[in-house]
């Protein structure tokens, strides 16, 4: 198992290195903004002592009020982690787990202005093709629906609320403004 984990980490490092190289060919202003954003992320996450076991992760997540899960958008496996967390936490906080069902999903892949379409989709008022059209999936997100759709399918089956968090911030500091927008929505 450790060998498999080391192989996966090596693959992920190569993918990150390739993505960083691709970011380097972006417009100069975007490169500077991305460098600043990545540096802030590195500072915020520079310390960790070891990898957590699955049970440690679930225990910490179940005790947390908010859990942020980042993903590498082009790596399908990266979207499976939040789905697994939702499934396993749902089992832990449901009636068998003795806790209260307080789970919700914040969705970076959806613009907050599409919240009504998202709600209609989750409640069965929109088919999948109509939903994807209503939120302009290909234009506004562009990553594979087959990677992200299962998260919303799970939310629908489990009756979890989903909050569309993204915005169309442009110009200088757009990532910071986008994150502030998401934070304000989450704080409500």
């Amino acid at each position: 198992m450790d060998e498999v984990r080391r192989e996966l980490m090596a693959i992920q490092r190569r993918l990150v290195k390739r993505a960083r190289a691709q970011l380097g060919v972006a417009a100069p202003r975007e490169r500077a903004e991305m460098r600043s954003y990545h540096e802030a992320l590195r500072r915020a996450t520079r310390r960790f002592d070891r990898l957590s076991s699955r049970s440690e992760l679930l225990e910490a997540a179940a005790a947390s009020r908010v859990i942020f899960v980042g993903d590498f958008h082009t790596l399908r496996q990266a979207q499976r982690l939040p789905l697994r967390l939702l499934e396993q936490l749902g089992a832990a906080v449901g009636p068998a787990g003795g806790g209260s069902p307080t789970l919700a999903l914040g969705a970076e892949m959806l613009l907050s202005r599409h919240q009504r379409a998202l709600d209609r989709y989750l409640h069965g008022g929109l088919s999948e093709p109509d939903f994807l059209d209503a939120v302009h999936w290909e234009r506004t997100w562009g990553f594979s629906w087959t990677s992200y759709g299962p998260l919303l399918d799970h939310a629908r089956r489990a009756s979890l609320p989903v909050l569309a968090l993204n915005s169309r911030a442009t110009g200088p500091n757009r990532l910071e403004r986008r994150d502030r927008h998401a934070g304000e929505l989450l704080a409500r």
Side-chain angles (χ1 to χ4, degrees):
M1 184 65 168
D2 287 337
E3 182 61 31
V4 171
R5 179 174 263 177
R6 277 192 292 277
E7 262 186 65
L8 288 172
M9 294 296 286
I11 291 168
Q12 189 172 24
R13 284 187 189 102
R14 285 194 305 271
L15 288 169
V16 167
K17 186 176 179 178
R18 187 178 337 156
R20 285 182 177 157
Q22 289 171 345
L23 284 172
V25 299
R29 184 178 49 100
E30 280 193 19
R31 279 196 314 242
E33 185 176 2
M34 288 301 288
R35 275 195 305 272
S36 173
Y37 188 78
H38 285 142
E39 182 55 36
L41 177 64
R42 272 191 289 280
R43 279 193 310 271
T45 59
R46 96 175 92 212
R47 275 205 60 209
F48 76 92
D49 297 323
R50 62 182 176 77
L51 294 175
S52 299
S53 70
R54 178 177 293 181
S55 61
E56 289 172 319
L57 173 65
L58 287 172
E59 185 178 315
S64 298
R65 203 167 152 247
V66 175
I67 305 162
F68 290 97
V69 179
D71 74 331
F72 192 72
H73 300 332
T74 58
L75 186 61
R76 180 177 288 175
Q77 185 63 27
Q79 289 83 45
R80 291 182 182 157
L81 173 63
L83 177 59
R84 286 188 198 120
L85 276 173
L86 283 173
E87 291 168 344
Q88 293 173 5
L89 287 172
V93 301
S100 61
T102 57
L103 294 177
L105 174 63
E108 175 202 13
M109 70 272 202
L110 295 164
L111 295 171
S112 57
R113 70 177 187 225
H114 295 140
Q115 185 68 49
R116 284 188 182 156
L118 172 60
D119 292 342
R120 287 183 57 213
Y121 174 69
L122 292 172
H123 293 99
L126 277 179
S127 67
E128 183 176 294
D130 289 340
F131 169 70
L132 294 175
D133 188 51
V135 300
H136 312 287
W137 180 265
E138 286 298 320
R139 191 173 69 233
T140 59
W141 191 241
F143 295 101
S144 173
W145 171 252
T146 58
S147 296
Y148 290 91
L151 280 166
L152 296 183
D153 291 342
H154 176 77
R156 184 179 5 195
R157 285 190 310 276
S159 299
L160 295 178
V162 180
L163 186 60
L165 295 176
N166 215 336
S167 70
R168 282 307 228 180
T170 59
N173 302 318
R174 67 183 170 86
L175 296 173
E176 181 181 329
R177 286 185 287 118
R178 180 206 62 191
D179 291 352
R180 185 176 297 120
H181 171 78
E184 289 168 356
L185 291 172
L186 288 169
R188 290 183 187 167

